[in-house]
Amino acid sequence: MKKKHLKWSYKIIFSIIGLLFIKVFEFAFLNRVIHWFWKIPLDSMGEFIGIIVTILILLPFIIIVLNQRIRLEGAEEKYRKLAYYDPLTGLSNRRYFEEKVSHSLMQDSKEGKIGAVIFIDIDGFKLVNDTYGHEIGDSLLKEIGKRLLASVRKEDLISRFAGDEFIFYLPNVDKASVLIIVKRIIEDINKPFVINNNTILTSTSVGISFFSEKRKDIKSLLRNADKAMYKAKLHGKNTYEIFNEDNEY
């Protein structure tokens, strides 16, 4: 802390010395240089030099303000990443998902659009951790995140819910298109992962909840997709189930 204050003290001292130097020589030196370079009449030189000195006096403060602004923006971006993104996979987290989707659902419901929330769980992930260790398990989650991103459209939102669970928001899409995406996700997760010379086979269980006028708040959609996912696990895993509003589990 002392070194920091000492550093700023030197900056202030040098700034004052520089300003005094300019003040002493502004008429003796700048007067002649500016007259020679810009051909400004000598009777107008005093006002012109006054403007230059004012700019030079204000310049350090402008630089300080800009520097603080850049630092503040950097801190805000860092906070945003900590608040809204999963540090392991780099995907958005549950908090970001709920806030983003809640806003989108309000807009989509006004425009009469349909879509879906998808909840997936990696089958047997605990066994991977127990067999290969948590470091390999973390690496597997990173690779799964990459495959999931490649399986969906650009307009879709994917987030890490918790542990080995991931959630999706598919806006403005019909049932047939959702099933195509879900089947592609299952196929991609079924492909072997090679991590640190270990070949890991895994699968995923998927639950789907379509939003409608009856079910359009994010917490209900996630809860229903979660119920459908657990039913997929009961049906042998490595498959999907659609939540049925008329026949809750």
Side-chain angles (χ1 to χ4, degrees):
M1 184 65 69
K2 290 183 178 179
K3 289 183 178 180
K4 185 175 180 181
H5 287 309
L6 186 62
K7 185 178 179 181
W8 272 105
S9 297
Y10 280 127
K11 287 183 179 180
I12 294 171
I13 291 170
F14 286 132
S15 297
I16 293 173
I17 293 173
L19 292 174
L20 290 173
F21 178 83
I22 292 171
K23 194 66 180 176
V24 170
F25 291 96
E26 64 180 7
F27 290 104
F29 179 72
L30 290 178
N31 201 15
R32 298 180 179 277
V33 172
I34 294 171
H35 171 68
W36 171 79
F37 192 81
W38 280 289
K39 308 300 182 184
I40 297 175
L42 290 174
D43 57 352
S44 302
M45 198 67 70
E47 182 180 353
F48 184 75
I49 292 177
I51 294 173
I52 292 178
V53 172
T54 301
I55 293 173
L56 291 174
I57 291 173
L58 292 176
L59 187 60
F61 298 100
I62 294 173
I63 293 173
I64 291 173
V65 170
L66 289 176
N67 185 50
Q68 291 299 320
R69 179 59 185 171
I70 291 171
R71 289 185 178 184
L72 180 60
E73 289 178 352
E76 289 175 350
E77 180 63 22
K78 184 177 180 180
Y79 169 76
R80 185 173 179 273
K81 288 183 177 180
L82 290 173
Y84 290 113
Y85 287 87
D86 172 50
L88 178 64
T89 63
L91 299 173
S92 56
N93 59 19
R94 177 180 179 178
R95 177 180 177 183
Y96 179 86
F97 185 91
E98 291 185 352
E99 290 183 12
K100 181 74 173 179
V101 175
S102 293
H103 177 75
S104 297
L105 285 174
M106 292 176 60
Q107 187 65 30
D108 290 344
S109 62
K110 290 179 182 178
E111 298 175 1
K113 296 179 180 179
I114 62 171
V117 169
I118 296 174
F119 199 113
I120 82 166
D121 180 88
I122 306 303
D123 300 325
F125 182 75
K126 184 178 182 301
L127 181 61
V128 174
N129 274 337
D130 293 341
T131 304
Y132 300 100
H134 289 278
E135 185 176 347
I136 297 294
D138 288 346
S139 296
L140 176 60
L141 288 175
K142 292 179 184 178
E143 294 303 315
I144 288 173
K146 292 178 183 178
R147 289 194 186 181
L148 294 177
L149 273 175
S151 298
V152 297
R153 308 168 301 170
K154 290 182 179 180
E155 61 267 33
D156 299 332
L157 174 62
I158 171 175
S159 301
R160 185 184 178 196
F161 186 77
D164 59 329
E165 298 172 330
F166 297 84
I167 46 181
F168 298 77
Y169 172 62
L170 310 182
N172 195 26
V173 63
D174 56 31
K175 181 178 179 179
S177 298
V178 170
L179 295 183
I180 290 173
I181 293 172
V182 167
K183 290 175 182 178
R184 183 164 62 239
I185 289 171
I186 293 174
E187 290 175 1
D188 287 344
I189 299 302
N190 280 340
K191 296 174 183 176
F193 291 89
V194 179
I195 302 174
N196 291 358
N197 297 320
N198 298 300
T199 301
I200 302 174
L201 299 176
T202 187
S203 62
T204 184
S205 298
V206 183
I208 307 168
S209 176
F210 289 94
F211 59 81
S212 62
E213 287 302 316
K214 286 178 62 179
R215 304 282 186 182
K216 62 181 181 181
D217 66 283
I218 184 58
K219 292 191 181 297
S220 294
L221 288 167
L222 282 173
R223 184 168 57 250
N224 295 338
D226 186 32
K227 291 178 181 178
M229 181 273 293
Y230 274 105
K231 188 171 183 181
K233 283 189 175 293
L234 292 175
H235 286 174
K237 303 179 181 180
N238 197 35
T239 187
Y240 67 88
E241 286 289 336
I242 301 173
F243 179 81
N244 187 343
E245 294 181 350
D246 298 323
N247 185 23
E248 294 195 13
Y249 308 121

